[in-house]
């Protein structure tokens, strides 16, 4: 397939993927779109929601629609890093000679589902760091590149916190978006039940291949962003830091640490993708505003008082967007 | 303004629509910013104007139309505030960014303007997209000024103040001069008093006493007001240190409050002045008429007083024969109407006496007519009060007549005859009466009365003015009758009755005396039912004239003295005098002056002399 797409093709492919996913997934249109945006931008997604909402199904559907290799890793406390990345195994050939052979872990997929990622130990969780950031894995000193596109979707349950290991800040910063899966409404539940309780097997059409997906990513990075919009994204990121002058009072009071520069990158990349989806070749302030929540909510670390108050990071980000003027 | 790329590159011709929009956006945005700045400064300007007005109002001169220019200067503050953003240059990129934000263009125009030199495919696409959107863009609609409520209200208030000031300045209002604090003029009162003094002197020279009295009253009231203001001045200086007297009076319900009507205010003074000016504004003809009337009334009053004095003098001379000798001789024409009675001419219907009576009675009647006319103009309450006074006087008169009747009844008893035997030289049995010691003049008066009696007896009864006495006897039969009979005849005569109370040398017959007294008492009884204001006018129709009534009272008084000054009667007379004096004093304002003189003279006449009382 042609690896050069124009904005119109971009929007067409994007729409095709969404339609394909929604063949299997009922509802969650914004979650699906944000997942695709992160995929196009080359980022990773952390899905947060109670069990049974179709997170795993969403990722599987997405892989089927994109015709990408799907891997699923169920994170448990006894899960070891090698279980994710792989290890060297002693194997015996036909002549009877033994040698080490690398057995790649489940991380070597194009779409990797790290289910209940917070149940694994931090050591195991950190096994994803290099793969998510560098798109490569080092196994016993030998580095292996991950196939492109490489898209990690991790899930976590916000209710069951016993026996879990909250993701460290460094790990959280690796995710492009943090999406919240809301509970389906009545109509969505009817559709879900109708599809999942019958013997009818749903077939998800392939919307595009990996080449087109990568081409879409490249096109998104070419979207024009004028200086004022870029400055706006930077000021939004800086305003999440309580020690900055432009930080609002809510940030000063309840935020322990703000978004990293990786957060500004996520803001701008997501804004570009959104601009293409909106039919423009330039990103605007409104695009930045629209992607601020999913791009920064997991990058704002609340302090003890904020946690004790049960403060939602989205409120902090709303205050930031209200304080920062274009 | 040159439309150049912010990076310094020349403006390409690829963005004509965006370039056109940028130029219009620059102008519209500068205008909008100027309006916003001016509107934002309007409330401050309004506050400054209000503060200026308050400062000028509490100042010495107060707010005047001349201060309008100073107030209008504050309107320059918004204008100056709007001038700065209007003149400040605006970059095209800024204007396009503002236009993007106001027109929901999602930074299309700004991005195209910024990346106008980018040859990337996506940049070309973006410029095409921006041009397409800029072609149908209404730039002016994006920069419409929408004032907020506060600046709008402030603008309206400023316009109201300016219009009001302009109206005052151009004298477009009925009262162009605003009501500022009243400037106290300390010399105004003195000037007013001086003016009043000059007017008073002028009216005094003209002889207009009424105007002078009004001016004097006005001057007195002005001085009273001045004194009150001076008395109140220290309380004003003390300020709100404590509750005022009025407040204290309000707090104490038992303490009667001073009626507010007693306080003379500036409005009262102005009203009095207006009334006075209305009263003294007379034309020359009116002033001449007033002076003429005053002069005429003065002459009449003078003539009346003179006649009254003559009458009193003659009466005194005839009654007591003192220093004043009788002013007539037998066969001589009487000099006064009363002398006719003494000579008996009055009883014969002497024309001269009648004319004299008429000449005396007319001015009095005229005067009482004026008084009656004045009374009719009084209110109903005043009539009621006069009526009560009349009733009181009538009651007093009835009691007096009753007392006289009692005296007459006593006189008719044998006690009188007994005393006559004891003292034959005394014609009137007055016991220790005055007539015994009145000397030759009294005896001569009695003789004259006897002659009058004889003359009166020859006259027909209807000419005597009173009811015909059925018991009247011929003159011969009545000759030698007592003084009571003579007095009675004198009273019944139509003349003034200034005949001497002393009896002539006629004998004192009790029955005759009783008859005369009875007739006199009947007349008195009739008089008791009259109104006070009718007493002086009785002179026709069988009734007595005022002069006759005066004589009658005095005759009765002398009779009372002669027949009643025997002990207890003196006390009664004194009591009557005291009571009458008290009534006269208490009813001074309601009684006619002439009547007061009559009553006073009557009781003075009946008062026994002190030396005689001591002798008794």
């Amino acid at each position: 397939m042609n690896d050069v797409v124009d904005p119109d093709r971009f929007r067409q492919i994007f729409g095709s993927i969404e339609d394909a996913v929604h063949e299997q997934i009922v509802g969650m249109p914004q979650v699906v779109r944000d997942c695709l945006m992160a995929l196009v931008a080359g980022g990773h997604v952390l899905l947060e929601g109670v069990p049974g909402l179709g997170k795993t199904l969403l990722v599987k559907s997405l892989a089927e629609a994109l015709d990408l290799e799907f891997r699923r890793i169920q994170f448990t406390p006894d899960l070891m890093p090698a279980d994710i990345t792989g290890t060297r195994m002693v194997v015996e050939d036909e002549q009877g000679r033994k040698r080490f052979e690398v057995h790649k872990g489940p991380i070597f997929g194009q779409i990797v589902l790290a289910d209940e990622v917070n149940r694994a130990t931090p050591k195991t969780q950190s096994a994803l760091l290099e793969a998510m950031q560098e798109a490569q894995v080092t196994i016993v000193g030998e580095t292996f590149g991950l196939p492109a596109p490489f898209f990690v979707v991790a899930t976590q349950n916000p209710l069951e916190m016993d026996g879990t290991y909250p993701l460290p800040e460094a790990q959280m910063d690796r995710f492009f978006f943090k999406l919240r899966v809301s509970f389906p409404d009545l109509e969505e539940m009817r559709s879900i039940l109708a599809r999942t309780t019958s013997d009818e097997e749903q077939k998800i059409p392939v919307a595009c291949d990996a080449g087109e997906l990568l081409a879409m990513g490249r096109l998104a990075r070419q979207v024009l962003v004028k200086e004022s919009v870029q400055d706006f994204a930077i000021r939004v990121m800086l305003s999440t830091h309580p020690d900055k002058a432009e930080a609002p009072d809510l940030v000063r009071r309840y935020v322990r640490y703000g978004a990293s520069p990786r957060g500004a990158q996520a803001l701008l990349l997501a804004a570009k993708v959104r601009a293409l989806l909106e039919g423009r070749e330039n990103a605007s302030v409104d695009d930045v505003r629209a992607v601020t929540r999913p791009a920064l909510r997991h990058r704002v670390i609340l302090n003890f008082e904020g946690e004790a108050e049960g403060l939602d990071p989205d409120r902090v980000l709303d205050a930031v967007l209200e304080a920062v003027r274009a | 303004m040159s439309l150049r790329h912010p990076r310094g590159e020349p403006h390409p011709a690829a963005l004509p629509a965006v370039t056109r929009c940028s130029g219009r956006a620059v102008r519209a945005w500068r205008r909008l910013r100027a309006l916003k700045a001016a509107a934002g400064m309007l409330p401050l300007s309004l506050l400054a104007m209000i503060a200026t007005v308050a400062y000028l109002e509490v100042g010495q001169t107060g707010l005047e139309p001349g201060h309008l220019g100073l107030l209008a200067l504050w309107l320059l503050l918004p204008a100056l505030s709007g001038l700065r953003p209007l003149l400040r240059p605006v970059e095209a990129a800024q204007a396009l960014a503002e236009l993007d934000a106001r027109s929901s263009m999602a930074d299309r125009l700004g991005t195209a303007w910024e990346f106008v030199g980018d040859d990337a495919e996506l940049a070309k696409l973006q410029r095409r997209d921006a041009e397409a959107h800029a072609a149908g863009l209404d730039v002016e609609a994006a920069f419409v000024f929408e004032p907020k409520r506060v600046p709008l209200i402030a603008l309206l208030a400023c316009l109201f103040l300016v219009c009001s000031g302009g109206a005052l300045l151009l004298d477009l209002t009925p009262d162009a001069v605003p009501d500022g604090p009243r400037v106290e003029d300390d010399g105004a009162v003195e000037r007013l008093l001086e003016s009043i003094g000059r007017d008073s002197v002028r009216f005094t020279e003209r002889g207009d006493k009424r105007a002078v009295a009004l001016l004097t009253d006005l001057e007195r009231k002005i001085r009273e007001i001045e004194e009150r203001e001076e008395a109140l001045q220290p309380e004003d200086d003390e300020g709100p240190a404590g509750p005022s007297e009025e407040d204290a009076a309000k707090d104490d319900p038992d303490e009667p409050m001073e009626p507010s009507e007693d306080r003379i205010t500036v409005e009262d003074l102005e009203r009095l002045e207006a009334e006075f000016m209305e009263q003294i504004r007379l034309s020359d003809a009116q002033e001449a008429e007033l002076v003429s009337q005053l002069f005429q009334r003065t002459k009449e009053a003078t003539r009346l007083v003179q006649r009254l004095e003559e009458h009193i003098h003659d009466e005194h001379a005839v009654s007591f024969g003192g220093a004043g000798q009788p002013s007539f001789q037998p066969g001589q024409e009487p000099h006064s109407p009363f002398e006719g009675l003494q000579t008996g001419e009055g009883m014969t219907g002497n024309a001269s006496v009648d004319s004299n009576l008429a000449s005396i009675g007319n001015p009095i009647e005229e005067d009482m007519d004026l008084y009656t006319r004045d009374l009719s103009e009084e209110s109903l309450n005043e009539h009621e009060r006069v009526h009560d006074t009349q009733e009181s006087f009538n009651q007093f008169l009835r009691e007096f007549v009753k007392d006289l009747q009692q005296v007459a009844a006593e006189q008719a008893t044998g006690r009188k005859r007994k005393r006559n035997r004891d003292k034959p030289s005394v014609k009137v049995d007055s016991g220790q009466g005055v007539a015994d010691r009145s000397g030759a003049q009294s005896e001569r008066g009695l003789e004259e009365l006897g002659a009058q009696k004889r003359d009166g007896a020859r006259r027909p009864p209807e000419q005597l003015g009173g009811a015909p006495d059925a018991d009247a006897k011929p003159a011969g039969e009545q000759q030698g009758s007592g003084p009571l009979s003579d007095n009675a005849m004198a009273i019944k005569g139509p003349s003034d009755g200034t005949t001497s109370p002393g009896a002539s040398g006629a004998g004192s017959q009790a029955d005759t005396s009783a008859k005369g007294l009875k007739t006199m008492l009947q007349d008195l009884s009739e008089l008791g039912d009259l109104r006070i204001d009718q007493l002086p006018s009785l002179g026709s129709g069988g009734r007595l004239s005022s002069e006759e009534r005066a004589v009658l009272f005095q005759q009765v008084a002398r009779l009372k003295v002669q027949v009643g000054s025997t002990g207890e009667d003196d006390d009664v007379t004194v009591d009557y005098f005291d009571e009458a004096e008290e009534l006269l004093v208490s009813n001074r304002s309601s009684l006619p002056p002439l009547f007061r003189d009559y009553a006073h003279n009557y009781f003075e006449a009946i008062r026994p002399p002190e030396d005689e009382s001591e002798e008794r």
Side-chain angles (χ1 to χ4, degrees):
Chain A
M1 299 183 71
N2 190 6
D3 57 352
V4 178
V5 294
D6 56 11
D8 293 334
R9 177 64 182 165
F10 181 92
R11 284 186 288 275
Q12 179 185 358
I13 295 174
F14 201 94
S16 299
I17 298 172
E18 285 182 317
D19 293 339
V21 172
H22 284 295
E23 289 290 333
Q24 189 75 30
I25 300 297
V26 177
M28 300 186 293
Q30 189 62 41
V31 173
V32 173
R33 168 166 282 214
D34 289 343
C35 284
L36 285 176
M37 288 173 62
L39 177 59
V40 172
H44 309 281
V45 172
L46 174 63
L47 290 176
E48 185 179 79
V50 295
L53 293 182
K55 299 185 291 290
T56 305
L57 183 61
L58 169 64
V59 177
K60 284 181 62 176
S61 302
L62 190 60
E64 291 181 13
L66 295 174
D67 194 17
L68 299 178
E69 184 181 358
F70 174 72
R71 299 290 178 87
R72 181 177 183 271
I73 306 172
Q74 181 66 45
F75 278 59
T76 57
D78 56 349
L79 186 67
M80 299 302 291
D83 297 333
I84 299 174
T85 59
T87 185
R88 281 191 171 191
M89 300 288 292
V90 177
V91 297
E92 186 175 357
D93 55 8
E94 296 174 353
Q95 289 80 18
R97 292 180 295 183
K98 296 183 178 179
R99 58 179 178 90
F100 286 98
E101 184 176 329
V102 176
H103 282 248
K104 296 181 180 178
I107 194 66
F108 287 88
Q110 290 179 303
I111 295 181
V112 178
L113 174 62
D115 205 1
E116 294 186 285
V117 67
N118 57 342
R119 292 195 176 275
T121 61
K123 180 179 178 181
T124 305
Q125 293 172 357
S126 63
L128 290 175
L129 289 177
E130 185 180 5
M132 294 174 65
Q133 182 63 34
E134 307 294 337
Q136 64 183 14
V137 175
T138 301
I139 303 173
V140 195
E142 186 178 0
T143 302
F144 298 92
L146 295 176
F150 179 71
F151 183 53
V152 177
V153 178
T155 65
Q156 65 179 8
N157 187 353
L159 298 180
E160 296 180 4
M161 302 302 294
D162 294 339
T164 62
Y165 302 92
L167 293 175
E169 287 78 7
Q171 183 68 28
M172 293 286 285
D173 196 32
R174 296 296 193 277
F175 291 101
F176 190 83
F177 278 172
K178 178 183 179 182
L179 306 177
R180 289 175 175 170
V181 181
S182 60
F183 205 84
D185 56 12
L186 179 62
E187 194 64 30
E188 292 172 349
M189 281 300 302
R190 285 175 181 170
S191 299
I192 292 171
L193 293 178
R195 291 181 185 183
T196 57
T197 57
S198 63
D199 57 351
E200 182 181 358
E201 188 176 354
Q202 299 292 337
K203 286 291 184 180
I204 299 177
V206 178
C208 68
D209 57 6
E212 286 182 326
L213 190 61
L214 293 177
M216 291 172 64
R218 288 193 296 271
L219 179 64
R221 291 178 180 270
Q222 295 176 8
V223 170
L224 303 179
V225 178
K226 67 176 186 177
E227 291 181 0
S228 60
V229 176
Q230 183 175 313
D231 291 344
F232 178 77
I234 294 172
R235 283 188 280 119
V236 168
M237 182 271 296
L238 292 177
S239 296
T240 60
H241 290 265
D243 55 346
K244 299 298 181 183
E246 52 267 55
D249 292 338
L250 199 65
V251 173
R252 296 175 186 274
R253 184 174 179 182
Y254 294 112
V255 175
R256 178 164 60 91
Y257 191 76
S260 63
R262 196 178 284 119
Q265 294 172 2
L267 275 178
L268 211 54
L269 279 176
K272 289 182 175 181
V273 175
R274 186 177 182 275
L276 287 175
L277 293 178
E278 295 293 328
R280 288 179 277 108
E281 291 78 20
N282 66 285
S284 67
V285 174
D286 293 336
D287 296 329
V288 177
R289 291 178 184 274
V291 299
T292 297
R293 280 189 175 188
L296 297 184
R297 65 165 55 113
H298 58 287
R299 305 178 200 271
V300 175
I301 309 302
L302 300 179
N303 57 16
F304 175 78
E305 188 177 1
E307 293 287 350
E309 292 283 343
L311 183 65
D312 190 353
D314 286 354
R315 282 187 57 197
V316 177
L317 296 176
D318 291 340
V320 169
L321 292 177
E322 189 176 354
V324 179
R325 304 191 62 178
Chain B
M1 188 188 71
S2 63
L3 291 176
R4 296 184 63 83
H5 194 273
R7 296 174 183 172
E9 298 174 2
H11 175 256
L15 295 174
V18 174
T19 305
R20 187 171 57 252
C21 285
S22 66
R24 294 162 58 185
V26 167
R27 290 189 295 272
W29 196 32
R30 284 160 59 177
R31 183 171 60 249
L32 178 63
R33 291 199 305 179
L35 289 174
K36 280 188 173 181
M41 193 57 67
L42 265 177
L44 183 61
S45 178
L46 176 63
L47 291 177
M49 290 179 70
I50 293 174
T52 306
V53 168
Y55 175 75
L56 293 175
E57 189 68 18
V58 301
Q60 293 182 351
T61 59
L63 184 60
E64 296 178 351
H67 294 143
L68 179 63
L70 179 61
L71 296 178
L73 283 177
W74 288 112
L75 289 180
L76 295 178
L77 188 61
L80 293 175
S81 301
L83 192 61
R84 181 172 177 270
L86 191 64
L87 299 177
R88 193 175 64 179
V90 176
E91 295 291 339
Q94 295 176 345
L96 288 175
E98 186 69 22
L99 182 60
D100 280 334
R102 290 177 176 273
S103 303
S104 301
M105 298 296 290
D107 293 316
R108 283 187 173 91
L109 303 180
T111 304
W113 183 259
E114 187 171 339
F115 291 94
V116 65
D118 195 342
D119 294 333
E121 192 65 26
L122 204 60
K124 294 178 182 177
L125 292 175
Q126 198 276 333
R127 286 196 292 270
R128 227 179 358 252
D129 180 58
E131 281 288 305
H133 282 83
L137 187 61
D138 187 0
V139 179
E140 281 72 17
F143 291 96
V144 173
F145 175 63
E146 296 178 354
K148 295 180 180 178
R149 183 173 298 177
V150 173
L152 186 61
I153 294 174
L155 177 62
L156 293 177
C158 287
L159 290 177
F160 174 75
L161 287 176
V162 171
C163 291
S164 301
L168 290 175
L169 186 62
L170 300 177
D171 197 11
L172 297 179
T173 58
D175 186 8
V177 180
D179 292 334
R182 301 183 66 174
V183 179
E184 296 293 339
D185 189 359
D186 296 332
V189 177
E190 282 73 16
R191 289 196 296 273
L192 179 60
L193 292 176
E194 291 177 1
S195 175
I196 291 174
R198 289 194 298 270
D199 293 337
S200 178
V201 171
R202 186 161 53 89
F203 283 106
T204 304
E205 292 175 355
R206 291 184 181 181
D208 192 349
K209 295 182 179 178
R210 179 167 170 268
V212 173
L214 288 174
L215 284 173
T216 306
D217 183 62
L218 178 62
E219 183 180 4
R220 179 178 56 79
K221 289 183 177 178
I222 291 174
R223 294 193 184 281
E224 287 178 0
I225 293 171
E226 279 295 300
E227 292 175 356
R228 290 195 178 191
E229 287 183 352
E230 290 178 0
L232 291 175
Q233 191 65 31
E235 296 180 0
D236 295 338
D237 295 339
E238 290 176 2
S244 61
E245 295 181 1
E246 186 176 356
D247 295 337
K250 289 179 179 178
D251 295 336
D252 188 5
D254 297 332
E255 184 177 355
M257 290 182 58
E258 182 181 359
S260 59
E261 289 80 11
D262 292 341
R263 293 187 174 181
I264 299 177
T265 61
V266 177
E267 287 77 12
D268 293 337
L269 179 59
E270 293 175 350
R271 180 175 51 79
L272 287 173
E273 185 178 1
E275 292 177 359
F276 168 72
M277 294 305 294
E278 287 293 328
Q279 291 171 353
I280 67 174
R281 281 175 187 167
L282 299 175
S283 63
D284 294 338
Q286 290 175 334
E287 290 183 357
E289 184 180 359
L290 283 177
V291 172
S292 175
Q293 291 181 0
L294 182 61
F295 182 72
Q296 184 179 359
R297 297 292 176 86
T298 306
K299 287 175 62 179
E300 293 175 357
T302 305
R303 186 169 63 250
L304 286 174
V305 171
Q306 289 176 354
R307 294 196 177 195
L308 184 60
E309 289 177 351
E310 291 175 1
H311 157 66
I312 295 173
H313 176 71
D314 294 339
E315 178 63 23
H316 183 269
V318 171
S319 300
F320 299 97
Q325 294 297 323
S327 59
F328 65 94
Q329 296 298 328
Q332 182 183 358
E333 286 293 325
H335 297 291
S336 70
F338 311 104
E339 294 172 359
L341 287 179
Q342 294 175 339
T343 58
E345 294 174 358
M347 294 183 180
T348 59
N350 192 305
S352 63
V353 174
D354 292 339
S355 63
N356 289 333
L357 283 173
S359 64
I360 293 175
N362 289 336
I364 299 175
E365 290 177 355
E366 290 177 2
D367 185 54
M368 291 312 298
D369 289 339
L370 290 174
Y371 175 76
T372 305
R373 185 163 60 249
D374 293 339
L375 274 183
S376 64
E377 295 174 355
E378 294 293 332
S379 63
L380 184 59
N381 293 332
E382 186 67 19
H383 278 290
E384 291 291 334
R385 192 165 59 84
V386 172
H387 178 70
D388 294 342
T389 305
Q390 169 69 36
E391 289 296 326
S392 176
F393 176 76
N394 291 341
Q395 182 65 26
F396 160 70
L397 201 55
R398 290 190 193 96
E399 293 177 358
F400 175 63
V401 171
K402 185 178 178 182
D403 189 66
L404 285 180
Q405 289 174 346
Q406 183 178 0
V407 172
E410 293 177 359
Q411 189 68 22
T413 59
R415 184 181 54 181
K416 176 174 175 281
R417 287 192 295 271
K418 179 180 178 181
R419 289 177 181 175
N420 284 337
R421 285 194 300 272
D422 295 338
K423 296 179 180 180
S425 60
V426 178
K427 304 304 179 186
V428 177
D429 187 6
S430 57
Q432 300 171 352
V434 179
D436 295 339
R437 291 174 291 274
S438 60
Q441 184 178 1
S442 299
E443 293 180 0
R444 187 176 59 185
L446 293 174
E447 292 173 358
E448 292 169 358
L449 278 178
Q452 292 175 9
K453 175 200 164 196
R454 288 189 293 274
D455 295 337
R458 289 192 292 267
R459 294 178 59 191
E462 57 272 14
Q463 293 182 0
L464 298 178
D469 191 356
D471 297 334
K473 294 182 178 179
E477 295 180 3
Q478 294 179 356
Q479 190 173 15
S481 63
L484 292 177
S485 174
D486 296 334
N487 284 332
M489 293 303 294
I491 290 171
K492 288 175 68 63
S495 64
D496 292 340
T498 55
T499 53
S500 172
S504 62
S508 58
Q509 294 183 3
D511 51 350
T512 306
S513 302
K515 288 181 180 178
L517 183 60
K518 182 179 180 182
T519 306
M520 179 194 71
L521 293 177
Q522 287 176 351
D523 289 337
L524 289 175
S525 300
E526 294 175 1
L527 293 175
D529 294 330
L530 297 176
R531 281 171 41 199
I532 292 176
D533 53 356
Q534 291 175 346
L535 288 175
S537 61
L538 294 176
S540 62
R543 297 185 181 276
L544 300 177
S545 65
S546 58
E547 287 76 11
E548 290 172 339
R549 180 163 306 283
V551 175
L552 170 64
F553 283 166
Q554 293 183 1
Q555 293 287 356
V556 172
R558 277 190 285 274
L559 173 65
K560 176 73 172 60
V561 170
Q562 291 170 1
V563 303
S565 58
T566 57
E568 298 177 357
D569 297 336
D570 291 339
D571 299 334
V572 173
T573 303
V574 173
D575 291 341
Y576 280 146
F577 182 84
D578 296 337
E579 185 175 358
E581 280 293 329
E582 185 178 355
L583 284 173
L584 291 174
V585 170
S586 61
N587 299 321
R588 180 180 301 170
S589 60
S590 59
L591 291 176
L594 194 59
F595 177 78
R596 289 205 304 269
D597 293 335
Y598 286 161
H600 186 76
N601 292 335
Y602 163 71
F603 285 102
E604 280 291 340
I606 67 174
R607 178 192 290 273
E610 295 181 1
D611 52 349
E612 294 180 2
S613 301
E614 291 174 359
E615 282 187 11
R616 287 196 299 268

